[in-house]
Amino acid sequence: MVLDKPGKPSYESPSSFRIIVLIRTVSKILERIVAARLLVAARLRGLLHPNQCGSLPGLSTYDACLSLTNDVRTLQRPRLKVSTLFLDIKAGFDNVDNTTLARILREGGIPPYLVSWVSSFLGERSCTLIFQGAPGTPAPVNVGAPQGSPISPLLFLLYVALLHFSIPRGLMISSVDDFALTVASLSYRRNIRRLQQLFERPQRKASRLGVSFSVATTELIHWRTPSQRNWPKCASPIQIKGELFRPSNSVRWLGYWFTPALDPAAHFSRRLALAQGAFALVRRLSPPGAGLPLYLCHRLATSLIAPILLYGADLFTPSMGPTTRLDTFWRKVQRRTTNCFSATPTGILSEESCLPPFSLLVTDRQRLAALRVVCSPPKVNPATALLHPSFPSLSGYRAPDSSRALTRGLSSVYLPLHWKTPRPVPPIRNHLPVDAVAHRTIPFTPGLSKMPMINSHLVCAAPSLPPSP
């Protein structure tokens, strides 16, 4: 099935469309079983890089963005200049080569029956395009992993895992086909030269795999601390594939909007605009006194408007200005759900609509995200591997490429707070982002010597590998 990608300026190019493969239900069940077995084998043999997020059990875009922001703030503590280059693999799923992937799995020690199954799954396929005016004839497909298959994301991650490498005083993290290269030095110009040199390494590996990075979606950002918000901006561009890219004032990565000062207002202003558009659609469907019943309006508020409005609230905490605008909009949603008068008190409005206040929703979202991070296996979740060594995890593993060692011996002004220390008022010093996440779990830790590991099944051991038939 051919679907158009939303937000494209023109649909005259085939790249503006996405092909979703419709697969039989029985085949999807088999693919999910094989994907579970292949994931165990890949984890056991180290075929997945620890900094790969997305499309894996127990991981999400939040983990990638938390790792990125924590690395940025950590590198800024010793007063280094930090820059990040955002990259995107062009048509990643469509360029997975069957022969190359089979060689990667075979050399990585994957059982032969799984390698043979993957080769058979990706080989000798045919596809029939469904759109208005399509001829309806099957065409052979010799390359690529079908989008819509339960096993395709895992196969793609195994295919591009070789693109990852460690960066001294930096970080390379990805979510499926979106990559972020972060470096730090004494000047932004030195960061640009270093990013240009580092980009050549994954570019050479990608060319050998038959994939390439999209030039149109490449973005550069120079990070600043809140105290440097009014400093002169660095406008030096970076040259990638013969094209110049100037630093951006805001970057959208994995649905999160980042600014050089990591200001949450830029993110929540865009989320509010999207939620207002969805709310306008709901109002057209349900005018006062007619249209949808109230219980369906409540269902739309909780399943449509609230997720749009709260996306990113696990990472960013809205400041006073955005919070006021978000609260005002959320009260409009509550009134539409109950058809109450505009003079109805806020407390009664929340009870009658069965919709908690916006501030409680943000707090709940942040606490759930914090509990998931601190209870995840550090060898699986890159954000968990950045926790302070004193945090009571069941596993003492921490990321070997963490930049936390750079904060040792700093003056009291730049030394980060311990994860147990409350944030002072006024905030002379702040937590690192990961330590702030760990601090949110303190009310849930009384009486616990170690935090439980809710995703312990993701840590593979040798006996759990399915035997070869």
Side-chain angles (χ1 to χ4, degrees), residues 57-59 372-373 375-377 380-381 452-459:
L59 295 175
R372 187 181 64 82
V373 168
C375 296
S376 296
V380 174
N381 194 324
M453 191 176 295
I454 56 176
N455 292 324
S456 58
H457 64 282
L458 301 178
V459 182

Side-chain angles (χ1 to χ4, degrees), residues 194-252:
R194 192 178 175 198
L195 284 172
Q196 288 176 336
Q197 296 173 357
L198 292 175
F199 173 75
E200 297 298 328
R201 185 172 176 180
Q203 175 64 18
R204 288 193 299 267
K205 293 182 179 180
S207 61
R208 290 195 293 267
L209 294 175
V211 298
S212 62
F213 292 100
S214 175
V215 177
T217 56
T218 302
E219 292 186 279
L220 171 69
I221 190 170
H222 295 311
W223 305 101
R224 291 177 293 163
T225 62
S227 60
Q228 300 171 348
R229 185 173 302 176
N230 298 324
W231 284 22
K233 300 179 180 179
C234 176
S236 300
I238 186 173
Q239 184 175 1
I240 300 295
K241 293 185 177 181
E243 295 193 19
L244 295 178
F245 296 91
R246 298 194 176 275
S248 302
N249 294 325
S250 62
V251 173
R252 182 179 181 270

Side-chain angles (χ1 to χ4, degrees), residues 373-381 384-399 449-456 459:
V373 168
V374 301
C375 296
S376 296
K379 292 187 178 181
V380 174
N381 194 324
T384 309
L386 298 175
L387 288 171
H388 194 275
S390 64
F391 188 82
S393 303
L394 286 177
S395 173
Y397 173 84
R398 293 298 181 264
S449 58
K450 297 288 184 181
M451 289 296 292
M453 191 176 295
I454 56 176
N455 292 324
S456 58
V459 182

Side-chain angles (χ1 to χ4, degrees), residues 80 97 134 145 161 244 252 284 287 303 312 350 373 387 392 404 407 437:
L80 297 175
D97 183 69
L244 295 178
R252 182 179 181 270
R284 289 196 297 267
S303 60
S350 298
V373 168
L387 288 171
R404 188 182 289 270
T407 63
V437 168

Side-chain angles (χ1 to χ4, degrees), residues 61 97 102 105 117 167 241 250 296 334 350 394 433 437 439 444:
T61 57
D97 183 69
L105 298 179
W117 191 96
I167 302 177
K241 293 185 177 181
S250 62
L296 290 181
Q334 293 173 333
S350 298
L394 286 177
V437 168
H439 190 271
F444 307 99

Side-chain angles (χ1 to χ4, degrees), residues 342-350:
S342 57
T344 305
T346 304
I348 298 177
L349 190 61
S350 298

